[in-house]
Amino acid sequence: MEKNPLQIQQITAHDYTSAPFEMVILPLGSLESHGGHMPLGTDALTAAILAEEVAAQIPGAAVLPVVPYGVSEHYRDFPFTISLRFETEIAIIKDILESLYREGIRRVFILNGHDGNIAPIEVAARSFKVAHPDIRIVSLGAWWETIGPLLPDDFFEIWNGLGHGGEGEMSIGLALFEELCQPEHAKGRVPDLPEIGEVKWCFSEITDCGATGDPTKGSREKGLIMKKTLVNAIVAMLTRLNEKNWHYER
């Protein structure tokens, strides 16, 4: 294996003391069904690959190993779901932040790939920030929502590209790990959800095939554009923060 200096798990203590990194990216994922067309680790794979793409363009940044499990109980009616409790996910994130803080890291970017992790990130990061005001934490909780406004209005064909294993996620999966996808098995359902408010569903209430949206409209070409657009946006955000020394006042 050729060493990748961006991956913290691959470097030695000597490497780190010789060239310490200043910012850490923490990718978070899950292990759950994404229909018959995407791998169970889609969220973890997406977060990990995007994190490395970002780190490659940010001087002094490095990537932690992805946390491969998340809060996935709402997907448990479809195989194969491994879920953490909310309390466990919160504790994992806080423990990682505590370890980073002990090591002298004061800049952390959390790149999340899974909807069930959004609430635990908020609880863990907010409470840790209050306890340690000198740390700087930025998170991207839902890249699939962030990407929409960055793309042309007519970029997606169905449901604004949304959906668990839908058009957008299928597209970025084909761009990042095409060899693990099986588009010949792609199918999904577009649920009839209210325009305002947020239904707290179990996934089997809104789909019978383990996916929502329309993955048949996904393509590698769309995914490559999505990847470039999203990575560029994150890099621009982190670059600006670095230029301001992660201070937020105008």
mmCIF file of all heavy atoms in Angstrom, residues 34 38-39 42-43 45-47 49-51 53 111 113 140 143-144 147 151 155-156 161 163 165-179 181 215 217-231 234:
data_model
loop_
_atom_site.group_PDB
_atom_site.id
_atom_site.type_symbol
_atom_site.label_atom_id
_atom_site.label_comp_id
_atom_site.label_asym_id
_atom_site.label_seq_id
_atom_site.Cartn_x
_atom_site.Cartn_y
_atom_site.Cartn_z
ATOM 1 N N HIS A 34 -29.565 0.862 0.867
ATOM 2 C CA HIS A 34 -29.792 1.955 -0.075
ATOM 3 C C HIS A 34 -30.440 1.407 -1.345
ATOM 4 O O HIS A 34 -30.122 1.819 -2.458
ATOM 5 C CB HIS A 34 -28.482 2.669 -0.416
ATOM 6 C CG HIS A 34 -28.036 3.644 0.624
ATOM 7 N ND1 HIS A 34 -27.520 3.252 1.838
ATOM 8 C CD2 HIS A 34 -28.055 5.006 0.662
ATOM 9 C CE1 HIS A 34 -27.220 4.320 2.561
ATOM 10 N NE2 HIS A 34 -27.535 5.393 1.870
ATOM 11 N N MET A 38 -27.317 0.342 -4.647
ATOM 12 C CA MET A 38 -26.183 1.031 -4.043
ATOM 13 C C MET A 38 -25.673 0.235 -2.849
ATOM 14 O O MET A 38 -26.442 -0.466 -2.186
ATOM 15 C CB MET A 38 -26.575 2.450 -3.609
ATOM 16 C CG MET A 38 -27.046 3.341 -4.746
ATOM 17 S SD MET A 38 -27.059 5.103 -4.294
ATOM 18 C CE MET A 38 -25.291 5.469 -4.338
ATOM 19 N N PRO A 39 -24.381 0.345 -2.528
ATOM 20 C CA PRO A 39 -23.828 -0.436 -1.419
ATOM 21 C C PRO A 39 -24.373 0.018 -0.069
ATOM 22 O O PRO A 39 -24.768 1.178 0.105
ATOM 23 C CB PRO A 39 -22.321 -0.190 -1.529
ATOM 24 C CG PRO A 39 -22.196 1.096 -2.274
ATOM 25 C CD PRO A 39 -23.341 1.135 -3.223
ATOM 26 N N THR A 42 -22.909 3.234 1.491
ATOM 27 C CA THR A 42 -22.932 4.419 0.630
ATOM 28 C C THR A 42 -22.605 5.699 1.376
ATOM 29 O O THR A 42 -21.779 6.507 0.930
ATOM 30 C CB THR A 42 -24.302 4.554 -0.058
ATOM 31 O OG1 THR A 42 -24.416 3.554 -1.082
ATOM 32 C CG2 THR A 42 -24.478 5.920 -0.704
ATOM 33 N N ASP A 43 -23.236 5.922 2.512
ATOM 34 C CA ASP A 43 -23.043 7.181 3.241
ATOM 35 C C ASP A 43 -21.608 7.332 3.738
ATOM 36 O O ASP A 43 -21.022 8.421 3.679
ATOM 37 C CB ASP A 43 -24.007 7.257 4.425
ATOM 38 C CG ASP A 43 -25.461 7.302 3.986
ATOM 39 O OD1 ASP A 43 -25.718 7.641 2.825
ATOM 40 O OD2 ASP A 43 -26.336 6.998 4.819
ATOM 41 N N LEU A 45 -18.883 5.744 2.514
ATOM 42 C CA LEU A 45 -17.989 5.864 1.360
ATOM 43 C C LEU A 45 -18.017 7.279 0.793
ATOM 44 O O LEU A 45 -16.970 7.861 0.495
ATOM 45 C CB LEU A 45 -18.409 4.865 0.274
ATOM 46 C CG LEU A 45 -18.165 3.390 0.587
ATOM 47 C CD1 LEU A 45 -18.948 2.509 -0.392
ATOM 48 C CD2 LEU A 45 -16.682 3.057 0.523
ATOM 49 N N THR A 46 -19.203 7.836 0.665
ATOM 50 C CA THR A 46 -19.339 9.179 0.117
ATOM 51 C C THR A 46 -18.637 10.200 0.993
ATOM 52 O O THR A 46 -17.856 11.031 0.508
ATOM 53 C CB THR A 46 -20.830 9.550 -0.025
ATOM 54 O OG1 THR A 46 -21.479 8.606 -0.890
ATOM 55 C CG2 THR A 46 -20.992 10.947 -0.610
ATOM 56 N N ALA A 47 -18.895 10.139 2.298
ATOM 57 C CA ALA A 47 -18.279 11.100 3.214
ATOM 58 C C ALA A 47 -16.764 10.972 3.221
ATOM 59 O O ALA A 47 -16.038 11.979 3.212
ATOM 60 C CB ALA A 47 -18.835 10.908 4.621
ATOM 61 N N ILE A 49 -14.684 9.723 0.874
ATOM 62 C CA ILE A 49 -14.043 10.124 -0.383
ATOM 63 C C ILE A 49 -14.090 11.634 -0.555
ATOM 64 O O ILE A 49 -13.092 12.269 -0.945
ATOM 65 C CB ILE A 49 -14.702 9.404 -1.577
ATOM 66 C CG1 ILE A 49 -14.461 7.894 -1.474
ATOM 67 C CG2 ILE A 49 -14.157 9.948 -2.892
ATOM 68 C CD1 ILE A 49 -15.255 7.075 -2.476
ATOM 69 N N LEU A 50 -15.236 12.237 -0.260
ATOM 70 C CA LEU A 50 -15.340 13.693 -0.366
ATOM 71 C C LEU A 50 -14.388 14.376 0.609
ATOM 72 O O LEU A 50 -13.766 15.395 0.279
ATOM 73 C CB LEU A 50 -16.773 14.144 -0.102
ATOM 74 C CG LEU A 50 -17.814 13.788 -1.167
ATOM 75 C CD1 LEU A 50 -19.204 14.224 -0.716
ATOM 76 C CD2 LEU A 50 -17.470 14.430 -2.515
ATOM 77 N N ALA A 51 -14.250 13.819 1.814
ATOM 78 C CA ALA A 51 -13.345 14.409 2.809
ATOM 79 C C ALA A 51 -11.913 14.435 2.297
ATOM 80 O O ALA A 51 -11.194 15.433 2.472
ATOM 81 C CB ALA A 51 -13.430 13.627 4.115
ATOM 82 N N GLU A 53 -10.965 14.403 -0.863
ATOM 83 C CA GLU A 53 -10.902 15.359 -1.975
ATOM 84 C C GLU A 53 -10.734 16.783 -1.445
ATOM 85 O O GLU A 53 -9.985 17.584 -1.992
ATOM 86 C CB GLU A 53 -12.169 15.254 -2.821
ATOM 87 C CG GLU A 53 -12.346 13.948 -3.559
ATOM 88 C CD GLU A 53 -11.813 13.998 -4.970
ATOM 89 O OE1 GLU A 53 -11.463 15.099 -5.442
ATOM 90 O OE2 GLU A 53 -11.739 12.919 -5.604
ATOM 91 N N LEU A 111 -17.879 16.286 8.212
ATOM 92 C CA LEU A 111 -18.537 16.053 6.924
ATOM 93 C C LEU A 111 -19.427 14.830 7.062
ATOM 94 O O LEU A 111 -18.952 13.694 7.144
ATOM 95 C CB LEU A 111 -17.491 15.852 5.825
ATOM 96 C CG LEU A 111 -17.998 15.577 4.410
ATOM 97 C CD1 LEU A 111 -19.038 16.613 3.979
ATOM 98 C CD2 LEU A 111 -16.848 15.544 3.428
ATOM 99 N N GLY A 113 -22.491 12.130 6.050
ATOM 100 C CA GLY A 113 -23.101 11.507 4.883
ATOM 101 C C GLY A 113 -24.461 10.890 5.139
ATOM 102 O O GLY A 113 -25.031 10.280 4.233
ATOM 103 N N LEU A 140 -21.050 20.072 8.006
ATOM 104 C CA LEU A 140 -21.958 20.022 6.860
ATOM 105 C C LEU A 140 -22.847 18.815 7.100
ATOM 106 O O LEU A 140 -22.444 17.677 6.897
ATOM 107 C CB LEU A 140 -21.180 19.880 5.553
ATOM 108 C CG LEU A 140 -22.036 19.961 4.280
ATOM 109 C CD1 LEU A 140 -22.638 21.355 4.136
ATOM 110 C CD2 LEU A 140 -21.215 19.615 3.049
ATOM 111 N N TRP A 143 -25.171 17.131 2.878
ATOM 112 C CA TRP A 143 -24.607 17.577 1.602
ATOM 113 C C TRP A 143 -25.638 17.509 0.486
ATOM 114 O O TRP A 143 -25.593 18.303 -0.464
ATOM 115 C CB TRP A 143 -23.367 16.746 1.237
ATOM 116 C CG TRP A 143 -23.648 15.296 0.930
ATOM 117 C CD1 TRP A 143 -23.486 14.236 1.766
ATOM 118 C CD2 TRP A 143 -24.141 14.757 -0.300
ATOM 119 N NE1 TRP A 143 -23.854 13.072 1.146
ATOM 120 C CE2 TRP A 143 -24.265 13.353 -0.134
ATOM 121 C CE3 TRP A 143 -24.499 15.304 -1.534
ATOM 122 C CZ2 TRP A 143 -24.729 12.508 -1.143
ATOM 123 C CZ3 TRP A 143 -24.967 14.460 -2.548
ATOM 124 C CH2 TRP A 143 -25.072 13.085 -2.347
ATOM 125 N N TRP A 144 -26.588 16.568 0.593
ATOM 126 C CA TRP A 144 -27.597 16.373 -0.447
ATOM 127 C C TRP A 144 -28.572 17.547 -0.517
ATOM 128 O O TRP A 144 -29.215 17.738 -1.543
ATOM 129 C CB TRP A 144 -28.348 15.065 -0.195
ATOM 130 C CG TRP A 144 -28.879 14.918 1.205
ATOM 131 C CD1 TRP A 144 -30.135 15.222 1.650
ATOM 132 C CD2 TRP A 144 -28.159 14.426 2.341
ATOM 133 N NE1 TRP A 144 -30.231 14.969 2.996
ATOM 134 C CE2 TRP A 144 -29.045 14.480 3.450
ATOM 135 C CE3 TRP A 144 -26.853 13.965 2.539
ATOM 136 C CZ2 TRP A 144 -28.665 14.064 4.736
ATOM 137 C CZ3 TRP A 144 -26.480 13.563 3.819
ATOM 138 C CH2 TRP A 144 -27.376 13.603 4.901
ATOM 139 N N ILE A 147 -26.152 20.767 -1.972
ATOM 140 C CA ILE A 147 -25.779 20.743 -3.386
ATOM 141 C C ILE A 147 -26.839 21.351 -4.301
ATOM 142 O O ILE A 147 -26.507 21.976 -5.315
ATOM 143 C CB ILE A 147 -25.463 19.282 -3.831
ATOM 144 C CG1 ILE A 147 -24.840 19.244 -5.227
ATOM 145 C CG2 ILE A 147 -26.694 18.420 -3.781
ATOM 146 C CD1 ILE A 147 -23.448 19.750 -5.307
ATOM 147 N N LEU A 151 -26.458 24.057 -8.090
ATOM 148 C CA LEU A 151 -26.578 23.497 -9.432
ATOM 149 C C LEU A 151 -27.662 24.219 -10.226
ATOM 150 O O LEU A 151 -28.534 24.865 -9.636
ATOM 151 C CB LEU A 151 -26.917 22.005 -9.341
ATOM 152 C CG LEU A 151 -25.855 21.122 -8.672
ATOM 153 C CD1 LEU A 151 -26.437 19.747 -8.362
ATOM 154 C CD2 LEU A 151 -24.620 20.999 -9.557
ATOM 155 N N PHE A 155 -31.076 20.807 -13.353
ATOM 156 C CA PHE A 155 -30.041 19.769 -13.307
ATOM 157 C C PHE A 155 -30.641 18.397 -13.020
ATOM 158 O O PHE A 155 -30.303 17.406 -13.675
ATOM 159 C CB PHE A 155 -29.003 20.123 -12.243
ATOM 160 C CG PHE A 155 -27.825 19.189 -12.204
ATOM 161 C CD1 PHE A 155 -26.763 19.362 -13.076
ATOM 162 C CD2 PHE A 155 -27.776 18.143 -11.300
ATOM 163 C CE1 PHE A 155 -25.670 18.503 -13.047
ATOM 164 C CE2 PHE A 155 -26.696 17.280 -11.254
ATOM 165 C CZ PHE A 155 -25.634 17.456 -12.141
ATOM 166 N N PHE A 156 -31.523 18.315 -12.024
ATOM 167 C CA PHE A 156 -32.158 17.052 -11.669
ATOM 168 C C PHE A 156 -33.514 16.921 -12.359
ATOM 169 O O PHE A 156 -34.190 17.912 -12.624
ATOM 170 C CB PHE A 156 -32.341 16.943 -10.150
ATOM 171 C CG PHE A 156 -31.055 16.866 -9.382
ATOM 172 C CD1 PHE A 156 -30.706 17.860 -8.474
ATOM 173 C CD2 PHE A 156 -30.188 15.800 -9.556
ATOM 174 C CE1 PHE A 156 -29.519 17.791 -7.746
ATOM 175 C CE2 PHE A 156 -28.991 15.713 -8.841
ATOM 176 C CZ PHE A 156 -28.670 16.722 -7.940
ATOM 177 N N GLY A 161 -33.694 15.847 -7.247
ATOM 178 C CA GLY A 161 -32.557 14.961 -7.042
ATOM 179 C C GLY A 161 -32.498 14.324 -5.667
ATOM 180 O O GLY A 161 -31.573 13.563 -5.382
ATOM 181 N N GLY A 163 -33.713 12.106 -2.198
ATOM 182 C CA GLY A 163 -34.092 10.710 -1.995
ATOM 183 C C GLY A 163 -32.946 9.885 -1.449
ATOM 184 O O GLY A 163 -31.771 10.124 -1.742
ATOM 185 N N GLY A 165 -30.870 7.002 -1.775
ATOM 186 C CA GLY A 165 -30.576 6.171 -2.939
ATOM 187 C C GLY A 165 -31.250 6.682 -4.194
ATOM 188 O O GLY A 165 -31.406 5.937 -5.161
ATOM 189 N N GLY A 166 -31.642 7.960 -4.189
ATOM 190 C CA GLY A 166 -32.353 8.554 -5.325
ATOM 191 C C GLY A 166 -31.432 9.068 -6.412
ATOM 192 O O GLY A 166 -30.255 8.684 -6.506
ATOM 193 N N GLU A 167 -31.952 9.991 -7.223
ATOM 194 C CA GLU A 167 -31.214 10.474 -8.388
ATOM 195 C C GLU A 167 -29.871 11.088 -8.015
ATOM 196 O O GLU A 167 -28.833 10.770 -8.615
ATOM 197 C CB GLU A 167 -32.062 11.509 -9.139
ATOM 198 C CG GLU A 167 -31.387 12.069 -10.384
ATOM 199 C CD GLU A 167 -32.231 13.118 -11.084
ATOM 200 O OE1 GLU A 167 -33.373 13.385 -10.628
ATOM 201 O OE2 GLU A 167 -31.754 13.672 -12.091
ATOM 202 N N GLY A 168 -29.875 11.966 -7.015
ATOM 203 C CA GLY A 168 -28.633 12.626 -6.623
ATOM 204 C C GLY A 168 -27.631 11.674 -5.994
ATOM 205 O O GLY A 168 -26.454 11.663 -6.358
ATOM 206 N N GLU A 169 -28.105 10.864 -5.053
ATOM 207 C CA GLU A 169 -27.188 9.953 -4.367
ATOM 208 C C GLU A 169 -26.681 8.877 -5.316
ATOM 209 O O GLU A 169 -25.504 8.488 -5.245
ATOM 210 C CB GLU A 169 -27.877 9.321 -3.155
ATOM 211 C CG GLU A 169 -26.907 8.648 -2.213
ATOM 212 C CD GLU A 169 -27.486 8.369 -0.847
ATOM 213 O OE1 GLU A 169 -28.655 7.946 -0.754
ATOM 214 O OE2 GLU A 169 -26.757 8.578 0.143
ATOM 215 N N MET A 170 -27.536 8.397 -6.201
ATOM 216 C CA MET A 170 -27.091 7.421 -7.186
ATOM 217 C C MET A 170 -26.029 8.029 -8.107
ATOM 218 O O MET A 170 -25.017 7.398 -8.423
ATOM 219 C CB MET A 170 -28.274 6.927 -8.016
ATOM 220 C CG MET A 170 -27.917 5.895 -9.076
ATOM 221 S SD MET A 170 -27.217 4.389 -8.330
ATOM 222 C CE MET A 170 -27.209 3.294 -9.747
ATOM 223 N N SER A 171 -26.235 9.283 -8.487
ATOM 224 C CA SER A 171 -25.292 9.945 -9.380
ATOM 225 C C SER A 171 -23.923 10.091 -8.732
ATOM 226 O O SER A 171 -22.894 9.766 -9.343
ATOM 227 C CB SER A 171 -25.828 11.325 -9.784
ATOM 228 O OG SER A 171 -27.001 11.216 -10.561
ATOM 229 N N ILE A 172 -23.902 10.569 -7.489
ATOM 230 C CA ILE A 172 -22.604 10.765 -6.845
ATOM 231 C C ILE A 172 -21.950 9.427 -6.517
ATOM 232 O O ILE A 172 -20.728 9.285 -6.544
ATOM 233 C CB ILE A 172 -22.734 11.666 -5.600
ATOM 234 C CG1 ILE A 172 -21.401 12.391 -5.354
ATOM 235 C CG2 ILE A 172 -23.188 10.898 -4.368
ATOM 236 C CD1 ILE A 172 -21.495 13.609 -4.477
ATOM 237 N N GLY A 173 -22.773 8.396 -6.251
ATOM 238 C CA GLY A 173 -22.223 7.058 -6.057
ATOM 239 C C GLY A 173 -21.543 6.538 -7.318
ATOM 240 O O GLY A 173 -20.464 5.945 -7.257
ATOM 241 N N LEU A 174 -22.167 6.772 -8.462
ATOM 242 C CA LEU A 174 -21.567 6.346 -9.724
ATOM 243 C C LEU A 174 -20.273 7.093 -10.011
ATOM 244 O O LEU A 174 -19.374 6.564 -10.661
ATOM 245 C CB LEU A 174 -22.563 6.559 -10.867
ATOM 246 C CG LEU A 174 -23.783 5.622 -10.883
ATOM 247 C CD1 LEU A 174 -24.800 6.084 -11.904
ATOM 248 C CD2 LEU A 174 -23.354 4.181 -11.165
ATOM 249 N N ALA A 175 -20.163 8.325 -9.520
ATOM 250 C CA ALA A 175 -18.946 9.102 -9.721
ATOM 251 C C ALA A 175 -17.835 8.678 -8.768
ATOM 252 O O ALA A 175 -16.656 8.692 -9.146
ATOM 253 C CB ALA A 175 -19.238 10.589 -9.547
ATOM 254 N N LEU A 176 -18.200 8.279 -7.552
ATOM 255 C CA LEU A 176 -17.194 8.001 -6.532
ATOM 256 C C LEU A 176 -16.832 6.531 -6.409
ATOM 257 O O LEU A 176 -15.682 6.195 -6.119
ATOM 258 C CB LEU A 176 -17.682 8.511 -5.169
ATOM 259 C CG LEU A 176 -17.988 9.998 -5.043
ATOM 260 C CD1 LEU A 176 -18.406 10.335 -3.626
ATOM 261 C CD2 LEU A 176 -16.791 10.848 -5.466
ATOM 262 N N PHE A 177 -17.812 5.630 -6.582
ATOM 263 C CA PHE A 177 -17.551 4.191 -6.430
ATOM 264 C C PHE A 177 -18.458 3.391 -7.367
ATOM 265 O O PHE A 177 -19.220 2.537 -6.945
ATOM 266 C CB PHE A 177 -17.731 3.741 -4.965
ATOM 267 C CG PHE A 177 -18.911 4.360 -4.250
ATOM 268 C CD1 PHE A 177 -20.176 3.801 -4.316
ATOM 269 C CD2 PHE A 177 -18.736 5.509 -3.503
ATOM 270 C CE1 PHE A 177 -21.250 4.368 -3.654
ATOM 271 C CE2 PHE A 177 -19.811 6.092 -2.829
ATOM 272 C CZ PHE A 177 -21.066 5.508 -2.906
ATOM 273 N N GLU A 178 -18.318 3.687 -8.636
ATOM 274 C CA GLU A 178 -19.163 3.082 -9.667
ATOM 275 C C GLU A 178 -19.134 1.560 -9.618
ATOM 276 O O GLU A 178 -20.148 0.890 -9.844
ATOM 277 C CB GLU A 178 -18.732 3.567 -11.046
ATOM 278 C CG GLU A 178 -19.595 3.062 -12.194
ATOM 279 C CD GLU A 178 -19.171 3.632 -13.533
ATOM 280 O OE1 GLU A 178 -18.011 4.101 -13.645
ATOM 281 O OE2 GLU A 178 -20.003 3.606 -14.464
ATOM 282 N N GLU A 179 -17.963 0.984 -9.305
ATOM 283 C CA GLU A 179 -17.816 -0.461 -9.342
ATOM 284 C C GLU A 179 -18.659 -1.160 -8.270
ATOM 285 O O GLU A 179 -18.898 -2.375 -8.359
ATOM 286 C CB GLU A 179 -16.344 -0.835 -9.163
ATOM 287 C CG GLU A 179 -15.746 -0.531 -7.799
ATOM 288 C CD GLU A 179 -15.348 0.923 -7.594
ATOM 289 O OE1 GLU A 179 -15.599 1.758 -8.490
ATOM 290 O OE2 GLU A 179 -14.773 1.224 -6.524
ATOM 291 N N CYS A 181 -21.798 -0.079 -7.456
ATOM 292 C CA CYS A 181 -23.219 0.183 -7.741
ATOM 293 C C CYS A 181 -23.764 -0.811 -8.766
ATOM 294 O O CYS A 181 -23.022 -1.327 -9.603
ATOM 295 C CB CYS A 181 -23.398 1.607 -8.251
ATOM 296 S SG CYS A 181 -22.923 2.892 -7.063
ATOM 297 N N PRO A 215 -33.710 6.696 -8.699
ATOM 298 C CA PRO A 215 -32.311 6.419 -9.027
ATOM 299 C C PRO A 215 -32.088 6.108 -10.495
ATOM 300 O O PRO A 215 -30.943 6.184 -10.970
ATOM 301 C CB PRO A 215 -31.968 5.216 -8.146
ATOM 302 C CG PRO A 215 -33.279 4.556 -7.859
ATOM 303 C CD PRO A 215 -34.268 5.672 -7.782
ATOM 304 N N LYS A 217 -32.759 7.881 -12.855
ATOM 305 C CA LYS A 217 -32.361 9.139 -13.498
ATOM 306 C C LYS A 217 -30.931 9.537 -13.133
ATOM 307 O O LYS A 217 -30.416 10.544 -13.620
ATOM 308 C CB LYS A 217 -33.313 10.259 -13.103
ATOM 309 C CG LYS A 217 -34.774 9.989 -13.422
ATOM 310 C CD LYS A 217 -35.001 9.820 -14.904
ATOM 311 C CE LYS A 217 -36.484 9.642 -15.203
ATOM 312 N NZ LYS A 217 -36.728 9.432 -16.670
ATOM 313 N N GLY A 218 -30.285 8.762 -12.272
ATOM 314 C CA GLY A 218 -28.917 9.070 -11.889
ATOM 315 C C GLY A 218 -27.932 8.713 -12.983
ATOM 316 O O GLY A 218 -28.169 7.812 -13.791
ATOM 317 N N SER A 219 -26.802 9.408 -13.007
ATOM 318 C CA SER A 219 -25.757 9.120 -14.002
ATOM 319 C C SER A 219 -24.398 9.533 -13.455
ATOM 320 O O SER A 219 -24.291 10.417 -12.587
ATOM 321 C CB SER A 219 -26.019 9.865 -15.309
ATOM 322 O OG SER A 219 -25.804 11.260 -15.154
ATOM 323 N N ARG A 220 -23.376 8.908 -13.962
ATOM 324 C CA ARG A 220 -22.018 9.254 -13.547
ATOM 325 C C ARG A 220 -21.671 10.682 -13.955
ATOM 326 O O ARG A 220 -20.966 11.389 -13.218
ATOM 327 C CB ARG A 220 -21.012 8.273 -14.147
ATOM 328 C CG ARG A 220 -19.595 8.461 -13.616
ATOM 329 C CD ARG A 220 -18.677 7.313 -14.025
ATOM 330 N NE ARG A 220 -17.369 7.439 -13.375
ATOM 331 C CZ ARG A 220 -16.354 8.129 -13.882
ATOM 332 N NH1 ARG A 220 -16.477 8.727 -15.066
ATOM 333 N NH2 ARG A 220 -15.206 8.211 -13.218
ATOM 334 N N GLU A 221 -22.172 11.096 -15.114
ATOM 335 C CA GLU A 221 -21.902 12.450 -15.590
ATOM 336 C C GLU A 221 -22.446 13.486 -14.604
ATOM 337 O O GLU A 221 -21.761 14.460 -14.258
ATOM 338 C CB GLU A 221 -22.512 12.657 -16.977
ATOM 339 C CG GLU A 221 -21.858 11.865 -18.096
ATOM 340 C CD GLU A 221 -22.124 10.366 -18.017
ATOM 341 O OE1 GLU A 221 -23.174 9.964 -17.457
ATOM 342 O OE2 GLU A 221 -21.273 9.587 -18.510
ATOM 343 N N LYS A 222 -23.678 13.262 -14.140
ATOM 344 C CA LYS A 222 -24.239 14.173 -13.133
ATOM 345 C C LYS A 222 -23.410 14.121 -11.856
ATOM 346 O O LYS A 222 -23.140 15.150 -11.224
ATOM 347 C CB LYS A 222 -25.685 13.790 -12.821
ATOM 348 C CG LYS A 222 -26.676 14.044 -13.937
ATOM 349 C CD LYS A 222 -28.076 13.568 -13.522
ATOM 350 C CE LYS A 222 -29.066 13.738 -14.660
ATOM 351 N NZ LYS A 222 -30.402 13.197 -14.320
ATOM 352 N N GLY A 223 -23.017 12.924 -11.466
ATOM 353 C CA GLY A 223 -22.266 12.760 -10.229
ATOM 354 C C GLY A 223 -20.927 13.476 -10.248
ATOM 355 O O GLY A 223 -20.501 14.051 -9.237
ATOM 356 N N LEU A 224 -20.241 13.445 -11.378
ATOM 357 C CA LEU A 224 -18.955 14.131 -11.478
ATOM 358 C C LEU A 224 -19.120 15.638 -11.330
ATOM 359 O O LEU A 224 -18.301 16.312 -10.689
ATOM 360 C CB LEU A 224 -18.291 13.801 -12.813
ATOM 361 C CG LEU A 224 -17.775 12.358 -12.952
ATOM 362 C CD1 LEU A 224 -17.334 12.080 -14.392
ATOM 363 C CD2 LEU A 224 -16.621 12.092 -11.980
ATOM 364 N N ILE A 225 -20.197 16.165 -11.902
ATOM 365 C CA ILE A 225 -20.482 17.596 -11.741
ATOM 366 C C ILE A 225 -20.817 17.899 -10.290
ATOM 367 O O ILE A 225 -20.352 18.894 -9.723
ATOM 368 C CB ILE A 225 -21.638 18.023 -12.673
ATOM 369 C CG1 ILE A 225 -21.214 17.894 -14.138
ATOM 370 C CG2 ILE A 225 -22.080 19.454 -12.362
ATOM 371 C CD1 ILE A 225 -22.337 18.104 -15.134
ATOM 372 N N MET A 226 -21.615 17.036 -9.680
ATOM 373 C CA MET A 226 -21.978 17.215 -8.271
ATOM 374 C C MET A 226 -20.739 17.201 -7.380
ATOM 375 O O MET A 226 -20.585 18.047 -6.500
ATOM 376 C CB MET A 226 -22.950 16.120 -7.835
ATOM 377 C CG MET A 226 -24.329 16.215 -8.448
ATOM 378 S SD MET A 226 -25.324 14.743 -8.070
ATOM 379 C CE MET A 226 -25.464 14.872 -6.283
ATOM 380 N N LYS A 227 -19.858 16.234 -7.611
ATOM 381 C CA LYS A 227 -18.645 16.137 -6.800
ATOM 382 C C LYS A 227 -17.806 17.397 -6.915
ATOM 383 O O LYS A 227 -17.376 17.976 -5.901
ATOM 384 C CB LYS A 227 -17.816 14.920 -7.211
ATOM 385 C CG LYS A 227 -16.545 14.757 -6.380
ATOM 386 C CD LYS A 227 -15.655 13.636 -6.898
ATOM 387 C CE LYS A 227 -14.902 14.038 -8.146
ATOM 388 N NZ LYS A 227 -13.811 13.091 -8.473
ATOM 389 N N LYS A 228 -17.559 17.826 -8.124
ATOM 390 C CA LYS A 228 -16.737 19.016 -8.339
ATOM 391 C C LYS A 228 -17.373 20.239 -7.694
ATOM 392 O O LYS A 228 -16.688 21.029 -7.017
ATOM 393 C CB LYS A 228 -16.544 19.251 -9.847
ATOM 394 C CG LYS A 228 -15.664 20.460 -10.163
ATOM 395 C CD LYS A 228 -15.469 20.618 -11.665
ATOM 396 C CE LYS A 228 -14.592 21.826 -11.971
ATOM 397 N NZ LYS A 228 -14.380 22.000 -13.441
ATOM 398 N N THR A 229 -18.673 20.397 -7.869
ATOM 399 C CA THR A 229 -19.386 21.555 -7.329
ATOM 400 C C THR A 229 -19.339 21.562 -5.810
ATOM 401 O O THR A 229 -19.057 22.593 -5.178
ATOM 402 C CB THR A 229 -20.844 21.556 -7.807
ATOM 403 O OG1 THR A 229 -20.874 21.605 -9.240
ATOM 404 C CG2 THR A 229 -21.610 22.743 -7.247
ATOM 405 N N LEU A 230 -19.606 20.403 -5.204
ATOM 406 C CA LEU A 230 -19.647 20.317 -3.750
ATOM 407 C C LEU A 230 -18.263 20.495 -3.141
ATOM 408 O O LEU A 230 -18.086 21.256 -2.170
ATOM 409 C CB LEU A 230 -20.246 18.973 -3.324
ATOM 410 C CG LEU A 230 -20.499 18.766 -1.838
ATOM 411 C CD1 LEU A 230 -21.435 19.833 -1.291
ATOM 412 C CD2 LEU A 230 -21.076 17.375 -1.584
ATOM 413 N N VAL A 231 -17.266 19.813 -3.691
ATOM 414 C CA VAL A 231 -15.902 19.934 -3.167
ATOM 415 C C VAL A 231 -15.418 21.372 -3.291
ATOM 416 O O VAL A 231 -14.832 21.928 -2.354
ATOM 417 C CB VAL A 231 -14.952 18.956 -3.889
ATOM 418 C CG1 VAL A 231 -13.502 19.278 -3.556
ATOM 419 C CG2 VAL A 231 -15.282 17.519 -3.503
ATOM 420 N N ILE A 234 -17.022 23.510 -0.576
ATOM 421 C CA ILE A 234 -16.463 23.260 0.752
ATOM 422 C C ILE A 234 -15.053 23.847 0.857
ATOM 423 O O ILE A 234 -14.697 24.474 1.863
ATOM 424 C CB ILE A 234 -16.450 21.753 1.054
ATOM 425 C CG1 ILE A 234 -17.879 21.206 1.131
ATOM 426 C CG2 ILE A 234 -15.708 21.481 2.369
ATOM 427 C CD1 ILE A 234 -17.945 19.688 1.215
#
